[in-house]
Amino acid sequence: MYKAKAYSATSATSPLASATIPRRDLTDQDVQIEILFCGICHSDLHQVRNEWSGVMPTVYPCVPGHEIVGRVTKVGSAVTKFKTGDLAAVGCMVDSDRTCKECQAGLEQFCANFTLTYNFPDKHLGGVTYGGYSDSIVVDQRFVLHVPSNLNLAGVAPLLCAGITTYSPMRHWGVTKGKKVGVVGLGGLGHMGVKFAHALGAHVVVFTTSANKKDDALRLGADEVVISRNADEMQKHATSFDFILDCVSADHDVAAYINLLGRDGNVTLVGAPEKPFPVSAFNLIFGRRSLSGSPIGGIPETQEMLDFCGKHNITSDVEVIPIQKVNEAYGRLLKADVKYRFSIDMASLKSE
Ligand SMILES: NC(=O)c1ccc[n+]([C@@H]2O[C@H](COP(=O)([O-])OP(=O)(O)OC[C@H]3O[C@@H](n4cnc5c(N)ncnc54)[C@H](OP(=O)(O)O)[C@@H]3O)[C@@H](O)[C@H]2O)c1
Ligand SMILES: [Zn+2]
Ligand SMILES: [Zn+2]
């Protein structure tokens, strides 16, 4: 065991602050990574503040962060995928049972025995796993991804959650040229959704509550932008969509988006607001529409997404911050005031 620097929260109401955490000594399958950048996902905020207490109660101290990119500093004796000095990335999962049918299909995100990167029972050290708001992490090579060499690293970090979480459902639901695709909420996930839908050739419509994001939405690849609080603008798009990806973090009217679907259209929720919401059976029955959800993505698809980003030169639009600004960043996230992802420069942790 060795000690790593980190930022952690000690309760749902306390700010994140400097801390020291244990990391395991390497097993023969492990890769040790010096973390260079870690994105701030809205899930980090939900989790730090125990907003998902009904599903995944937070264990304190909590070290969040699952958008990790860095450089390999050491490898275990049986590691073949990486060598010291390689770029490497870690997303939302650090382990699974590897034996169930989901794991064998490369769909580890559905494994009943997966281990999430933070706030999950740690099989090696006991307690819970600690995430990427840290200077170092040790992860089994199977859950470590290769990073294309042509991409800006601060902008790569958010691909590990915001990227895969939007890429995976778009691939699953067949987003391609000729499809009309909506993206709801232009935040960290939403702006990646726009980039992917555009790169996949779809006609992309952004739904936003923030009128001041209109120009950015068009620059990011949207063909049209709808201010979702304007009922007339919404109505113009009734029954016209093939697919809508809902990336909103707070309570909102999901049913309004189901109304915009055409025959066999689908709304997929990736945003995870706290409270349940009403859905009319008839809105689904007429038009054979569907409503679903989607969690992150498996390891093979995460690598596919990173390679796709390398090929199409896609990264997240980031505001790079030192770790000391993380609490301020959380406040801004709640006000939808980030363009479009915070990426923490982990070099800032050295001064703690
Ligand atoms: N399914 C998964 O596996 C998965 C993975 C990662 C994250 N998530 C969840 O996805 C959600 C989004 O995460 P994120 O990191 O992208 O968050 P974010 O950067 O904070 O973006 C959320 C966006 O939602 C919109 N929004 C916020 N409050 C709203 C309200 N009251 N009504 C309507 N729209 C509102 C805003 O967009 P506009 O300003 O454009 O309206 C905001 O930018 C979170 O709930 C997160 O936990 C799920
Ligand atoms: Zn996330
Ligand atoms: Zn499994």
Side-chain angles (χ1 to χ4, degrees):
M1 214 163 78
Y2 69 101
K3 285 183 175 164
K5 287 184 174 182
Y7 254 53
S8 80
T10 51
S11 79
T13 51
S14 59
L16 291 148
S18 182
T20 301
I21 54 165
R23 294 292 193 193
R24 67 175 182 263
D25 291 325
L26 275 66
T27 70
D28 58 355
Q29 294 292 335
D30 280 340
V31 176
Q32 183 191 55
I33 300 163
E34 178 198 0
I35 301 175
L36 298 175
F37 293 95
C38 184
I40 297 181
C41 180
H42 205 112
S43 303
D44 300 349
L45 190 155
H46 289 306
Q47 196 87 77
V48 160
R49 302 198 174 167
N50 205 11
E51 289 173 358
W52 292 338
S53 55
V55 193
M56 282 191 271
T58 306
V59 177
Y60 296 94
C62 172
V63 178
H66 55 208
E67 295 186 333
I68 299 167
V69 67
R71 216 168 262 291
V72 174
T73 40
K74 214 194 270 184
V75 294
S77 58
V79 171
T80 50
K81 255 175 92 177
F82 294 91
K83 58 181 187 331
T84 302
D86 285 352
L87 291 174
V90 177
C92 301
M93 297 178 288
V94 288
D95 208 352
S96 69
D97 62 23
R98 298 129 194 255
T99 52
C100 74
K101 74 177 192 333
E102 309 295 359
C103 287
Q104 283 179 357
L107 298 170
E108 298 88 351
Q109 74 272 36
F110 301 113
C111 176
N113 301 305
F114 66 14
T115 303
L116 295 180
T117 304
Y118 62 84
N119 195 49
F120 233 70
D122 185 328
K123 284 191 251 173
H124 298 264
L125 295 180
V128 291
T129 49
Y130 294 131
Y133 295 11
S134 172
D135 58 359
S136 173
I137 193 166
V138 177
V139 179
D140 188 296
Q141 62 171 337
R142 186 175 160 139
F143 286 80
V144 183
L145 288 308
H146 289 286
V147 178
S149 59
N150 58 318
L151 301 177
N152 167 275
L153 290 186
V156 165
L159 301 178
L160 278 299
C161 177
I164 185 60
T165 302
T166 51
Y167 181 85
S168 180
M170 288 201 182
R171 298 284 289 157
H172 178 78
W173 289 97
V175 169
T176 179
K177 197 169 162 46
K179 302 280 181 174
K180 185 172 174 184
V181 170
V183 176
V184 189
L186 199 64
L189 266 59
H191 93 291
M192 289 312 308
V194 173
K195 290 188 183 206
F196 287 134
H198 176 72
L200 292 166
H203 180 88
V204 186
V205 182
V206 165
F207 295 91
T208 179
T209 58
S210 309
N212 63 0
K213 292 182 182 172
K214 197 165 183 170
D215 290 345
D216 282 345
L218 295 169
R219 175 181 57 79
L220 291 164
D223 298 285
E224 299 177 63
V225 183
V226 172
I227 306 304
S228 52
R229 299 201 203 277
N230 182 327
D232 291 341
E233 270 193 63
M234 292 285 281
Q235 191 51 35
K236 278 186 204 148
H237 290 270
T239 67
S240 68
F241 279 88
D242 296 294
F243 177 72
I244 298 178
L245 189 69
D246 187 325
C247 306
V248 174
S249 52
D251 295 333
H252 64 292
D253 185 10
V254 177
Y257 294 99
I258 297 173
N259 284 332
L260 303 188
L261 294 174
R263 173 173 54 77
D264 290 323
N266 170 268
V267 170
T268 289
L269 300 177
V270 285
E274 250 178 295
K275 297 194 196 105
F277 51 82
V279 171
S280 149
F282 285 105
N283 275 353
L284 294 173
I285 291 169
F286 294 133
R288 199 164 55 193
R289 298 149 157 172
S290 63
L291 172 66
S292 33
S294 184
I296 50 174
I299 295 300
E301 195 175 46
T302 304
Q303 190 61 63
E304 177 190 308
M305 177 275 308
L306 285 168
D307 296 344
F308 182 89
C309 288
K311 190 168 158 208
H312 295 269
N313 224 344
I314 293 174
T315 51
S316 171
D317 285 26
V318 288
E319 182 177 334
V320 178
I321 58 161
I323 188 95
Q324 291 79 6
K325 291 223 161 142
V326 69
N327 295 304
E328 192 184 307
Y330 277 26
R332 285 180 51 197
L333 203 54
L334 283 176
K335 289 189 271 177
D337 173 28
V338 47
K339 293 185 169 175
Y340 279 87
R341 197 60 144 185
F342 291 111
S343 184
I344 307 168
D345 181 352
M346 246 4 120
S348 58
L349 201 50
K350 290 190 203 302
S351 63
E352 292 285 339

